[in-house]
Amino acid sequence: MDLLTYASLGLSTGGAYALVALGLVAAYRGTGVIDFAQGALGMFGAYLFWKSFSQLGIPVGLAIVIGVVVSAAIGVGFFALVGRRLAHAPAVTKILITIGLMLVLEAVVRIVWTNHQQTVTPFVAAGGYEVAGVRVQSIGALLAGVAIVATVALHLLFTRTAFGHITTALRDTDLGAQSIGINPRLWGSLAWGLAGALAAVSAILLLPITQLSPTASTTLLVPALGAALAARFTSFPIALSVGLGTGVLEGLCTGLLDAQIARAVPDVVALVVLLLVARTGMRRGTREVQAVFHVGSGRIRWTWLVAGTAVVLVLIGTTIGTVVDALSLTAIFGLVALGIVVSIGYTGQVNALPLGISGVSMIVFGAVSDGGGSLLLSTLAAVLTAVAGAFVLSGLFVNARIYEVTIGALAVASILQAIVFSVDFFFNGSKGWTVGDTTIFGADIGNIGNPRGFAVVAWLILLLALIAVANLRRSSVGRYVLSVRQDERLPAALGVVPARAKFIGLVISSVLWGVAGALLAVQRGFIAKGDVRMEGFDYADSLALIAFVILAGSGYLVGAVLAGAFAPGGLLSHILSFAPDVNDWLSLFFAANMIWVLATEPDGVVGQFLRLRDGLIRRRPALTILLGGARPAAAPSATEKGDVGVTA
């Protein structure tokens, strides 16, 4: 097969990337919001189409209409519900709310239909034809043609019609539009509905190539984000060109290199685009701030800490083995969540790499340990790998805006999934890595031989990490890191280097994720490619854990512990394991609640508890010690109040 034929094969995926990118541009031009749920909207419409066509016997044309209309309706309804909150929300809120919609749609698909990939037989434009000796797939020509037609139509719609003029005005200043009687939510909802329809068309037409899967949205989202970013989320022709070009390049690499490596090409393109256009104007005309979450004081309440530690130790010593395993995983995921607290709560960056970095660190730990390395040496190698990753990522992230950080993290996570977690080389071929030495000071702490001892060590490490981050929060370094979460301009005017502050936060988070990876290796005892691919180290799993952290309280250290209990395999999922598909139901619950929390109570469960506690203490000061609050201060004197006529 010659290169031109491979290039023509890329027209199908390139057309799909372009259609999703066009939807992203349409949604942004109409609302000023980058819709990270765009791929999931298409995936949901594709599932609805295929089930209607294959199981209900609905004609293919009508089934396609049903899938497209429902995806568009979801886009319209979602923006109608949260549009007012999104209009002037901080950037991190906009990102996380749309990620919440993505997680909700994926969870609904897993619960209602399936969690497994399904093969889809060609239902339209099957076969192909030759043009000048080059074999062209009919589906590729159809997708490319639809993308070109959609580009022309969207360009005319946004430049020649009242719809385009109104939505562009709303993106720049919705307050001004409201003053002349324009309803921002109505017109923004229409833009989101248009984006949802485009996503559904691309996902449906691409089904015979990508197959049907709840995670199918991941194959379209990152390349489409790269194309839309290249277009600065404003130019439809540029989004089309980059989307089609990415698909053609992917097809060429399939022929020249390897199909597995070619899978990472669209993500690499997105990274290259990020490096070229980072920090370009992507925000609304009004000034926005990044932070939305309150941050805890970092003061350690030793009474509660000792009591909580005692409860955990009692549970580890008295419960059955499955509960002990759940407690171990709660501590490990608590470490990962603590890194997310630093990343999102302290620096205001939505990083989709927590479990990806932990997974790479776990593989490195296994390789060193399998080669005869001691427990301490293997752990050091895992943590240094995570820190090295932080140094590499800093070149992409520290000078990027929050949207660009999220896009870059998604791209890197997809690359890891394609060329690390799916390649035999990193897992000792088919043999896998066997964890060897698990002793420290002569005591075996391996989960296989001593699960209770391992659980104690995991919780001890989490406890030390919590104390360390609490001390960091109160230190000058912590204040330096926190200074850039609200707005980079003011601290920069005061001499703070925003890039340095974000770099420190990234390194701290990566160290925590690296330690968690080492603990995961010891907990498993054996690391194989199939286990890593199936047990959740891609960005969708990281985003789900972020949802747990948001719901618990992303600015508070206790929120990390709660998020660890919420995570799959953690204590809560173990308690509810009697229910079928419990992890999918938990994902749906937490993702939906993340949207609600961000719209109404950004500080999560911990923030609600603290407000309730402070209210009780104000009414009943005697409860101060019991509830762990600060003692009420004495009433200030007249001099302290600074009353008029009082001299010092």
Short mmCIF file of all heavy atoms in Angstrom, two decimals, residues 89-119:
data_model
loop_
_atom_site.label_atom_id
_atom_site.label_comp_id
_atom_site.label_asym_id
_atom_site.label_seq_id
_atom_site.Cartn_x
_atom_site.Cartn_y
_atom_site.Cartn_z
N ALA A 89 -17.81 33.02 35.17
CA ALA A 89 -17.10 32.14 36.10
C ALA A 89 -15.59 32.21 35.85
O ALA A 89 -15.14 32.54 34.74
CB ALA A 89 -17.57 30.70 35.92
N PRO A 90 -14.79 31.93 36.87
CA PRO A 90 -13.34 31.79 36.67
C PRO A 90 -13.05 30.69 35.65
O PRO A 90 -13.85 29.77 35.46
CB PRO A 90 -12.82 31.42 38.06
CG PRO A 90 -13.87 31.93 39.00
CD PRO A 90 -15.16 31.77 38.29
N ALA A 91 -11.91 30.78 35.03
CA ALA A 91 -11.56 29.82 33.98
C ALA A 91 -11.58 28.39 34.48
O ALA A 91 -12.04 27.47 33.78
CB ALA A 91 -10.19 30.17 33.41
N VAL A 92 -11.09 28.15 35.70
CA VAL A 92 -11.04 26.80 36.22
C VAL A 92 -12.44 26.23 36.39
O VAL A 92 -12.68 25.03 36.17
CB VAL A 92 -10.25 26.74 37.55
CG1 VAL A 92 -10.97 27.50 38.65
CG2 VAL A 92 -10.01 25.29 37.97
N THR A 93 -13.41 27.06 36.72
CA THR A 93 -14.79 26.59 36.87
C THR A 93 -15.36 26.18 35.52
O THR A 93 -16.04 25.15 35.41
CB THR A 93 -15.67 27.69 37.49
OG1 THR A 93 -15.12 28.06 38.75
CG2 THR A 93 -17.09 27.21 37.70
N LYS A 94 -15.11 26.98 34.50
CA LYS A 94 -15.60 26.63 33.17
C LYS A 94 -15.04 25.28 32.72
O LYS A 94 -15.77 24.45 32.17
CB LYS A 94 -15.19 27.71 32.17
CG LYS A 94 -15.84 29.07 32.40
CD LYS A 94 -15.35 30.08 31.38
CE LYS A 94 -16.00 31.44 31.60
NZ LYS A 94 -15.52 32.44 30.63
N ILE A 95 -13.76 25.07 32.95
CA ILE A 95 -13.15 23.81 32.53
C ILE A 95 -13.76 22.64 33.29
O ILE A 95 -14.16 21.62 32.70
CB ILE A 95 -11.62 23.87 32.76
CG1 ILE A 95 -10.98 24.87 31.82
CG2 ILE A 95 -10.99 22.48 32.58
CD1 ILE A 95 -9.53 25.13 32.10
N LEU A 96 -13.84 22.76 34.60
CA LEU A 96 -14.28 21.64 35.42
C LEU A 96 -15.76 21.32 35.22
O LEU A 96 -16.16 20.15 35.28
CB LEU A 96 -13.99 21.93 36.89
CG LEU A 96 -12.51 21.92 37.26
CD1 LEU A 96 -12.30 22.44 38.68
CD2 LEU A 96 -11.91 20.53 37.11
N ILE A 97 -16.59 22.33 34.98
CA ILE A 97 -18.01 22.05 34.75
C ILE A 97 -18.21 21.29 33.45
O ILE A 97 -19.00 20.34 33.38
CB ILE A 97 -18.82 23.36 34.76
CG1 ILE A 97 -18.98 23.87 36.20
CG2 ILE A 97 -20.20 23.17 34.14
CD1 ILE A 97 -19.77 25.15 36.34
N THR A 98 -17.50 21.65 32.40
CA THR A 98 -17.64 20.91 31.15
C THR A 98 -17.02 19.52 31.26
O THR A 98 -17.53 18.56 30.67
CB THR A 98 -16.99 21.67 29.98
OG1 THR A 98 -15.60 21.89 30.24
CG2 THR A 98 -17.67 23.02 29.77
N ILE A 99 -15.94 19.38 32.02
CA ILE A 99 -15.39 18.04 32.28
C ILE A 99 -16.40 17.21 33.06
O ILE A 99 -16.55 16.00 32.83
CB ILE A 99 -14.06 18.16 33.05
CG1 ILE A 99 -12.95 18.64 32.11
CG2 ILE A 99 -13.66 16.82 33.67
CD1 ILE A 99 -11.63 18.92 32.79
N GLY A 100 -17.13 17.84 33.98
CA GLY A 100 -18.17 17.13 34.70
C GLY A 100 -19.23 16.58 33.77
O GLY A 100 -19.69 15.44 33.94
N LEU A 101 -19.64 17.36 32.76
CA LEU A 101 -20.61 16.86 31.78
C LEU A 101 -20.03 15.66 31.03
O LEU A 101 -20.74 14.68 30.78
CB LEU A 101 -20.98 17.97 30.80
CG LEU A 101 -21.90 17.57 29.64
CD1 LEU A 101 -23.23 17.04 30.15
CD2 LEU A 101 -22.11 18.75 28.68
N MET A 102 -18.77 15.72 30.66
CA MET A 102 -18.13 14.60 29.98
C MET A 102 -18.19 13.33 30.83
O MET A 102 -18.55 12.24 30.35
CB MET A 102 -16.67 14.94 29.66
CG MET A 102 -15.92 13.83 28.94
SD MET A 102 -14.14 14.16 28.80
CE MET A 102 -13.61 13.73 30.45
N LEU A 103 -17.85 13.45 32.11
CA LEU A 103 -17.86 12.28 32.99
C LEU A 103 -19.27 11.75 33.20
O LEU A 103 -19.49 10.53 33.30
CB LEU A 103 -17.23 12.66 34.34
CG LEU A 103 -15.75 13.05 34.29
CD1 LEU A 103 -15.29 13.54 35.66
CD2 LEU A 103 -14.89 11.88 33.83
N VAL A 104 -20.26 12.64 33.28
CA VAL A 104 -21.65 12.21 33.43
C VAL A 104 -22.08 11.39 32.22
O VAL A 104 -22.67 10.30 32.36
CB VAL A 104 -22.57 13.43 33.61
CG1 VAL A 104 -24.03 13.04 33.39
CG2 VAL A 104 -22.41 14.01 35.01
N LEU A 105 -21.81 11.87 31.02
CA LEU A 105 -22.22 11.16 29.81
C LEU A 105 -21.54 9.81 29.69
O LEU A 105 -22.17 8.81 29.31
CB LEU A 105 -21.93 12.02 28.58
CG LEU A 105 -22.76 13.31 28.45
CD1 LEU A 105 -22.28 14.14 27.27
CD2 LEU A 105 -24.24 12.98 28.31
N GLU A 106 -20.24 9.75 30.02
CA GLU A 106 -19.53 8.47 29.95
C GLU A 106 -20.10 7.48 30.97
O GLU A 106 -20.26 6.29 30.67
CB GLU A 106 -18.04 8.68 30.18
CG GLU A 106 -17.34 9.40 29.03
CD GLU A 106 -15.85 9.56 29.27
OE1 GLU A 106 -15.39 9.23 30.39
OE2 GLU A 106 -15.15 10.02 28.35
N ALA A 107 -20.41 7.95 32.18
CA ALA A 107 -20.97 7.07 33.20
C ALA A 107 -22.36 6.57 32.80
O ALA A 107 -22.69 5.38 33.00
CB ALA A 107 -21.03 7.79 34.54
N VAL A 108 -23.18 7.43 32.22
CA VAL A 108 -24.52 7.02 31.78
C VAL A 108 -24.42 5.94 30.72
O VAL A 108 -25.17 4.94 30.74
CB VAL A 108 -25.30 8.24 31.26
CG1 VAL A 108 -26.58 7.79 30.54
CG2 VAL A 108 -25.66 9.17 32.40
N VAL A 109 -23.49 6.09 29.78
CA VAL A 109 -23.32 5.08 28.73
C VAL A 109 -22.91 3.74 29.33
O VAL A 109 -23.43 2.68 28.95
CB VAL A 109 -22.29 5.56 27.70
CG1 VAL A 109 -21.82 4.41 26.82
CG2 VAL A 109 -22.87 6.68 26.85
N ARG A 110 -21.98 3.76 30.29
CA ARG A 110 -21.54 2.50 30.90
C ARG A 110 -22.67 1.83 31.66
O ARG A 110 -22.79 0.60 31.67
CB ARG A 110 -20.35 2.76 31.84
CG ARG A 110 -19.07 3.13 31.11
CD ARG A 110 -17.88 3.02 32.04
NE ARG A 110 -17.98 3.93 33.17
CZ ARG A 110 -17.49 5.16 33.19
NH1 ARG A 110 -16.86 5.63 32.12
NH2 ARG A 110 -17.61 5.92 34.26
N ILE A 111 -23.51 2.61 32.31
CA ILE A 111 -24.59 2.04 33.11
C ILE A 111 -25.73 1.54 32.22
O ILE A 111 -26.24 0.42 32.40
CB ILE A 111 -25.12 3.09 34.12
CG1 ILE A 111 -24.05 3.38 35.18
CG2 ILE A 111 -26.40 2.60 34.80
CD1 ILE A 111 -24.37 4.58 36.05
N VAL A 112 -26.15 2.34 31.26
CA VAL A 112 -27.31 2.00 30.44
C VAL A 112 -26.98 0.97 29.38
O VAL A 112 -27.77 0.05 29.13
CB VAL A 112 -27.87 3.28 29.78
CG1 VAL A 112 -29.01 2.94 28.82
CG2 VAL A 112 -28.35 4.25 30.84
N TRP A 113 -25.81 1.07 28.76
CA TRP A 113 -25.48 0.18 27.66
C TRP A 113 -24.35 -0.79 28.01
O TRP A 113 -24.62 -1.92 28.38
CB TRP A 113 -25.16 1.00 26.41
CG TRP A 113 -26.39 1.62 25.82
CD1 TRP A 113 -27.52 0.98 25.42
CD2 TRP A 113 -26.62 3.02 25.60
NE1 TRP A 113 -28.45 1.88 24.96
CE2 TRP A 113 -27.93 3.15 25.05
CE3 TRP A 113 -25.88 4.16 25.80
CZ2 TRP A 113 -28.48 4.37 24.70
CZ3 TRP A 113 -26.43 5.39 25.45
CH2 TRP A 113 -27.71 5.48 24.92
N THR A 114 -23.13 -0.37 27.95
CA THR A 114 -22.04 -1.32 28.18
C THR A 114 -20.76 -0.58 28.53
O THR A 114 -20.63 0.61 28.26
CB THR A 114 -21.80 -2.19 26.94
OG1 THR A 114 -20.76 -3.14 27.20
CG2 THR A 114 -21.38 -1.33 25.75
N ASN A 115 -19.83 -1.33 29.10
CA ASN A 115 -18.51 -0.79 29.41
C ASN A 115 -17.45 -1.37 28.49
O ASN A 115 -16.27 -1.21 28.72
CB ASN A 115 -18.16 -1.10 30.87
CG ASN A 115 -16.99 -0.26 31.37
OD1 ASN A 115 -16.73 0.83 30.86
ND2 ASN A 115 -16.27 -0.77 32.34
N HIS A 116 -17.88 -2.10 27.46
CA HIS A 116 -16.95 -2.79 26.58
C HIS A 116 -17.06 -2.26 25.15
O HIS A 116 -18.10 -1.74 24.73
CB HIS A 116 -17.22 -4.29 26.59
CG HIS A 116 -17.17 -4.91 27.96
ND1 HIS A 116 -16.01 -5.07 28.66
CD2 HIS A 116 -18.17 -5.36 28.77
CE1 HIS A 116 -16.27 -5.61 29.84
NE2 HIS A 116 -17.57 -5.80 29.93
N GLN A 117 -15.99 -2.44 24.41
CA GLN A 117 -15.96 -2.01 23.02
C GLN A 117 -16.81 -2.94 22.17
O GLN A 117 -16.80 -4.15 22.35
CB GLN A 117 -14.52 -1.98 22.52
CG GLN A 117 -14.39 -1.50 21.07
CD GLN A 117 -12.94 -1.30 20.68
OE1 GLN A 117 -12.27 -0.42 21.20
NE2 GLN A 117 -12.46 -2.11 19.77
N GLN A 118 -17.55 -2.36 21.24
CA GLN A 118 -18.39 -3.14 20.35
C GLN A 118 -18.00 -2.87 18.91
O GLN A 118 -17.69 -1.74 18.53
CB GLN A 118 -19.87 -2.78 20.54
CG GLN A 118 -20.45 -3.20 21.88
CD GLN A 118 -21.90 -2.79 21.99
OE1 GLN A 118 -22.21 -1.73 22.51
NE2 GLN A 118 -22.79 -3.63 21.50
N THR A 119 -18.03 -3.94 18.09
CA THR A 119 -17.73 -3.79 16.68
C THR A 119 -18.96 -3.30 15.93
O THR A 119 -20.07 -3.78 16.16
CB THR A 119 -17.28 -5.14 16.08
OG1 THR A 119 -16.10 -5.57 16.77
CG2 THR A 119 -16.97 -4.99 14.61
#
